[in-house]
Amino acid sequence: MYIVFEGIDGAGKSTQIQHLKEWLIESGFKTEIVVEPTNSDVGKLIRKILRNPNATNENTQRTLGLLFAADRMLLMDEIEKKENEKIAIISDRSFYSSLAYQKPFEWIKEINKYVKKPDIVLLLDLDEKSALSRIEGEDTFESDEFLKNVRKNYLKMAEESNFKIINANTGENRVKLEIKRAIAPYFEICVSGIIE
């Protein structure tokens, strides 16, 4: 099972991924986390570029689109190997992030056409103002307008691709509960014990 968390920066993906991993392990499933960008040489280059003040300009975003596609292809072997070992993979981002952040859309789709599609996509949806307040002080050059467009792209894809949309503005515990409810049927975990 390949589970992906998507959403704009500040939506709480890292926190909720850890919660989900712990819950699945407690429920008897072998589980591992992968993160995009990875720690490969390509992934390290991506992280360096993302710290640049020009990271959101059009040409840099196109460059990042290519680098993310390359980094993602390197990750595919690892994901397939873990799946063959019956390990549930929880990923912090996937090619949907590139479709949301970089453009043009059709080109990004084309350069990611060999990438494995997730079994489940959980979109942690948060408005851009709340997101920026959460990541204040971090190394980010994302603007209100930029994140607004990215969120719009995510919501459009969610509608077309049947993502599970989770309201990320309801508090950590409520979000965790909604994720459990969304995931439980795929693992045949009884949800009767999951209460508000």
Side-chain angles (χ1 to χ4, degrees):
M1 185 69 70
Y2 176 32
I3 304 163
V4 165
F5 278 71
E6 290 287 358
I8 60 177
D9 289 340
K13 293 183 300 301
S14 300
T15 300
Q16 293 301 334
I17 284 169
Q18 196 57 46
H19 285 317
L20 179 59
K21 179 185 178 183
E22 289 167 7
W23 182 60
L24 287 176
I25 289 171
E26 285 166 12
S27 301
F29 296 94
K30 289 192 283 186
T31 310
E32 287 189 29
I33 295 170
V34 295
V35 179
E36 292 191 12
T38 69
N39 283 322
S40 71
D41 289 341
V42 179
K44 287 173 185 170
L45 178 57
I46 292 170
R47 291 177 198 280
K48 184 178 177 184
I49 293 171
L50 286 171
R51 289 193 293 271
N52 189 305
N54 296 321
T56 59
N57 77 31
E58 201 168 298
N59 285 331
T60 306
Q61 284 296 304
R62 284 182 180 146
T63 302
L64 284 167
L66 287 165
L67 290 171
F68 268 111
D71 188 46
R72 202 168 282 130
M73 285 308 301
L74 294 173
L75 183 61
M76 287 303 103
D77 286 341
E78 183 184 340
I79 289 175
E80 285 170 15
K81 181 184 173 190
K82 289 181 194 304
E83 282 194 313
N84 288 337
E85 294 170 1
K86 306 296 183 197
I87 297 171
I89 308 300
I90 308 173
S91 180
D92 188 339
R93 300 197 178 281
S94 71
F95 72 97
Y96 288 114
S97 282
S98 289
L99 291 171
Y101 277 84
Q102 283 94 42
K103 55 186 181 182
F105 184 88
E106 289 304 322
W107 177 67
I108 295 295
K109 200 172 176 181
E110 177 65 20
I111 61 174
N112 283 280
K113 69 181 179 182
Y114 297 114
V115 173
K116 179 178 172 55
K117 286 193 173 180
D119 297 300
I120 309 164
V121 180
L122 297 161
L123 174 61
L124 301 190
D125 182 41
L126 185 69
D127 67 275
E128 59 281 358
K129 285 183 173 40
S130 298
L132 284 170
S133 71
R134 288 184 184 185
I135 60 178
E136 194 176 357
E138 294 181 20
D139 285 340
T140 181
F141 297 94
E142 292 171 345
S143 67
D144 198 322
E145 193 60 31
F146 181 76
L147 286 182
K148 185 177 180 180
N149 286 330
V150 172
R151 182 185 180 215
K152 183 178 169 186
N153 292 340
Y154 267 130
L155 290 172
K156 185 177 179 200
M157 284 191 290
E159 191 178 317
E160 293 169 353
S161 303
N162 202 27
F163 295 176
K164 309 284 184 190
I165 302 175
I166 310 288
N167 182 349
N169 210 22
T170 56
E172 185 178 329
N173 288 335
R174 179 71 193 191
V175 172
K176 180 167 69 170
L177 171 65
E178 292 304 322
I179 289 168
K180 284 181 179 181
R181 285 181 170 157
I183 291 293
Y186 292 89
F187 289 86
E188 297 180 353
I189 301 172
C190 178
V191 293
S192 61
I194 303 174
I195 56 173
E196 295 186 32

